[in-house]
Amino acid sequence: MKFKKTILIIIIFLSFIGIGSMLSNVQSREADQLLEAYGLSNNTRYIEVKKDQEVRSFLTYLKKRFPHNKIQVHMTSKAKKNQTLVWSNHDVLKLPTESGRYFTKDDFKGRVSFAVLGLNAEVPTLKTQGNEYIYINKKYYTVIGTLKHYRQMKQNGYYLTTSPKQPTGKFKLRDYQIIIDSSNKVIQQIAKHYKVKAKTPVFVKNHQIHQFSIIREILFILLFLLVAAASNLLLAFMDWKTVKQTNLKGSLLRNWLINHGVRILLVELVTTFGAYLFLIWRKFVSKPQHLIWLLLISWIIISILYGLGILHLLRKEQNNAKTA
């Protein structure tokens, strides 16, 4: 009997591993989409402004008009396809770097423009006194990091911070395609102000086409949860058979079931925690809190089913006793 119970506990553990793996697959795919956008979310749109004004005028408008809204802007050069200007009024998504670091919110506040290179960036650079610089149009830009090689990311690109106070703020706005990551309301207001249409980037369209691809993962999560629930119901039935062999009655019977049930559920809680540690160790999990909640909810569900199974058998026994 103990061997069979151990097998069922192992099945529950493996089911929880399966549930967590499906979540990992979803988060991995979301991460790929973000990487394809170079740190932008799927709520990204782009506009093209043909007005003869500088980048700093556009950024000043954003800061004054939307002081409390989170906005991130990437401006891809039309002439230099590998150049991107980056500005944000909040901490941006940290892209993985081979060396150094990616931009932070503070990098957009000063008067100095910083640079992050793709692994094979096509731009003139020079090193002096242990520091690396990009040299463009008789201007030097301090390199603070080099991005890791990822299939989803452009390898020959380079990224420069921009702000109203920085040298890159003097670049002409019409020379760039403006990619904006913010709420739909903010993006539409910006587009209306400049009398242009906000369009959807290719990476967002691709994600929208495949947005229902998580249905497969959801179905597998439900399947693994069903297997775990069935295993727990079998454990309840086996515990009932064990207690019936003791010929316990009344309060003794209920106390035995409660004490033994609590021990089983605590063992399964430890099993759930073990599954979490295994998944964190072996799988990609970008949001551990989601994994914690998913496993915890799964444990609660199978625990409730275990209790309902015991309660059903107990009531059935009581009804049979009354009938007899």
Side-chain angles (χ1 to χ4, degrees):
M1 187 69 75
K2 288 184 178 180
F3 176 75
K4 293 180 179 179
K5 288 183 178 181
T6 302
I7 293 298
L8 290 173
I9 293 294
I10 292 174
I11 291 174
I12 291 172
F13 173 76
L14 293 176
S15 297
F16 281 4
I17 292 294
I19 289 172
S21 296
M22 293 303 102
L23 177 65
S24 172
N25 290 346
V26 172
Q27 292 188 352
S28 295
R29 193 152 57 242
E30 288 178 352
D32 287 346
Q33 294 294 338
L34 291 172
L35 288 172
E36 287 176 6
Y38 308 102
L40 297 171
S41 76
N42 290 316
N43 196 43
T44 299
R45 299 294 182 269
Y46 74 88
I47 62 174
E48 294 188 20
V49 177
K50 297 182 179 180
K51 290 185 177 181
D52 188 22
Q53 62 178 229
E54 295 178 338
V55 168
R56 59 184 175 183
S57 299
F58 173 68
L59 299 180
T60 299
Y61 160 73
L62 294 183
K63 292 174 71 175
K64 290 183 177 180
R65 178 66 180 82
F66 308 101
H68 304 298
N69 298 95
K70 288 185 176 182
I71 304 175
Q72 184 175 343
V73 176
H74 280 200
M75 302 184 189
T76 56
S77 174
K78 296 177 182 178
K80 303 173 183 177
K81 295 297 184 182
N82 55 344
Q83 182 192 92
T84 302
L85 305 183
V86 181
W87 174 85
S88 179
N89 62 359
H90 63 97
D91 283 327
V92 299
L93 177 73
K94 299 287 192 300
L95 295 185
T97 54
E98 187 74 26
S99 61
R101 61 175 179 83
Y102 193 63
F103 302 129
T104 65
K105 181 180 177 180
D106 291 336
D107 293 327
F108 309 113
K109 294 180 178 179
R111 296 180 177 274
V112 178
S113 293
F114 297 99
V116 171
L117 305 178
L119 200 59
N120 302 310
E122 296 178 358
V123 61
T125 61
L126 60 91
K127 292 184 178 181
T128 178
Q129 296 181 345
N131 297 316
E132 187 175 10
Y133 301 89
I134 288 177
Y135 183 66
I136 309 173
N137 299 330
K138 299 181 180 180
K139 295 284 185 183
Y140 291 92
Y141 302 95
T142 303
V143 176
I144 60 173
T146 301
L147 296 174
K148 280 188 176 181
H149 172 75
Y150 274 87
R151 176 179 54 83
Q152 296 87 357
M153 297 176 66
K154 184 167 59 176
Q155 298 300 308
N156 62 349
Y158 64 95
Y159 308 87
L160 303 174
T161 61
T162 187
S163 80
K165 299 178 181 178
Q166 295 181 5
T168 49
K170 296 180 181 180
F171 294 174
K172 293 295 183 181
L173 197 61
R174 65 176 179 229
D175 294 334
Y176 292 86
Q177 182 184 83
I178 306 169
I179 301 173
I180 307 170
D181 184 6
S182 188
S183 67
N184 288 329
K185 182 179 179 181
V186 168
I187 293 172
Q188 291 304 322
Q189 288 179 357
I190 295 171
K192 184 178 180 181
H193 176 79
Y194 283 95
K195 298 179 181 180
V196 294
K197 184 178 180 181
K199 300 179 182 179
T200 306
V202 173
F203 85 94
V204 175
K205 289 181 179 179
N206 290 340
H207 184 260
Q208 289 173 345
I209 292 172
H210 301 291
Q211 64 182 332
F212 295 111
S213 61
I214 65 170
I215 289 178
R216 185 186 67 175
E217 277 78 12
I218 291 174
L219 291 175
F220 271 108
I221 286 174
L222 293 175
L223 176 61
F224 287 127
L225 183 58
L226 183 63
V227 171
S231 299
N232 231 22
L233 286 174
L234 283 174
L235 278 171
F237 180 73
M238 292 171 67
D239 285 342
W240 179 257
K241 285 184 64 177
T242 300
V243 76
K244 284 296 293 178
Q245 293 174 0
T246 64
N247 296 317
L248 293 175
K249 301 292 183 181
S251 60
L252 292 176
L253 173 63
R254 287 191 296 272
N255 289 338
W256 189 96
L257 290 172
I258 291 172
N259 292 334
H260 196 74
V262 168
R263 286 201 299 270
I264 286 290
L265 297 182
L266 287 176
V267 168
E268 290 174 352
L269 182 60
V270 173
T271 300
T272 304
F273 182 65
Y276 169 78
L277 292 178
F278 179 84
L279 289 163
I280 290 293
W281 174 47
R282 298 296 298 176
K283 292 287 186 178
F284 173 85
V285 180
S286 62
K287 299 175 182 177
Q289 65 273 23
H290 291 179
L291 178 61
I292 292 172
W293 278 111
L294 181 60
L295 293 178
L296 188 60
I297 290 171
S298 299
W299 174 77
I300 291 172
I301 290 173
I302 68 170
S303 298
I304 291 173
L305 288 175
Y306 176 91
L308 291 176
I310 292 293
L311 186 61
H312 171 73
L313 293 170
L314 184 60
R315 287 182 175 178
K316 184 177 179 181
E317 175 71 14
Q318 291 174 344
N319 290 335
N320 290 338
K322 290 179 180 178
T323 305

